[in-house]
């Protein structure tokens, strides 16, 4: 499993699967090959929802955003 952490509020978000991590890696910009964090905003999550449907990853990211418009998310393999 992979754990997602909210770097903005310094808290755990939840866990995602390898397939969901691949979706993040393919859909978001990485600064370098070993990059493990992403800046995520509400528009990005909406785009994921429109293109992928109502998958668990989208729900996890929506919950992580809460009332914020953007956050920094870091992933860590357990």
């Amino acid at each position: 499993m992979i754990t997602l952490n909210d770097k903005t509020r310094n808290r755990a978000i939840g866990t995602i699967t390898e397939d969901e991590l691949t979706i993040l890696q393919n859909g978001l910009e990485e600064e370098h090959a070993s990059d493990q964090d992403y800046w995520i905003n509400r528009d990005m999550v909406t785009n994921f929802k429109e293109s992928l449907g109502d998958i668990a990853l989208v729900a996890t990211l929506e919950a992580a955003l809460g009332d914020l418009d953007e956050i920094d998310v870091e992933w860590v393999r357990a």
Side-chain angles (χ1 to χ4, degrees), residues 3-14 38 40 60-61 63-68 70-75:
T3 301
L4 283 183
N5 297 306
D6 176 349
K7 291 175 60 177
T8 304
R9 292 180 270 193
N10 195 31
R11 65 182 178 101
I13 295 170
Y38 302 100
I40 294 178
T60 299
L61 295 175
L65 279 169
D67 61 347
L68 298 178
E70 60 188 45
I71 58 172
D72 285 316
V73 172
E74 172 185 53
W75 63 267

Side-chain angles (χ1 to χ4, degrees), residues 5-67:
N5 297 306
D6 176 349
K7 291 175 60 177
T8 304
R9 292 180 270 193
N10 195 31
R11 65 182 178 101
I13 295 170
T15 58
I16 61 172
T17 65
E18 288 289 336
D19 288 341
E20 291 170 327
L21 176 60
T22 299
I23 291 169
L24 280 179
Q25 291 172 321
N26 290 339
L28 300 173
E29 182 178 331
E30 294 181 337
E31 295 176 6
H32 48 80
S34 61
D35 203 3
Q36 289 187 246
D37 65 329
Y38 302 100
W39 173 76
I40 294 178
N41 66 29
R42 198 162 298 284
D43 289 339
M44 291 173 178
V45 175
T46 298
N47 288 341
F48 276 136
K49 190 172 192 171
E50 289 172 356
S51 65
L52 302 171
D54 195 15
I55 61 171
L57 175 61
V58 171
T60 299
L61 295 175
E62 286 177 328
L65 279 169
D67 61 347

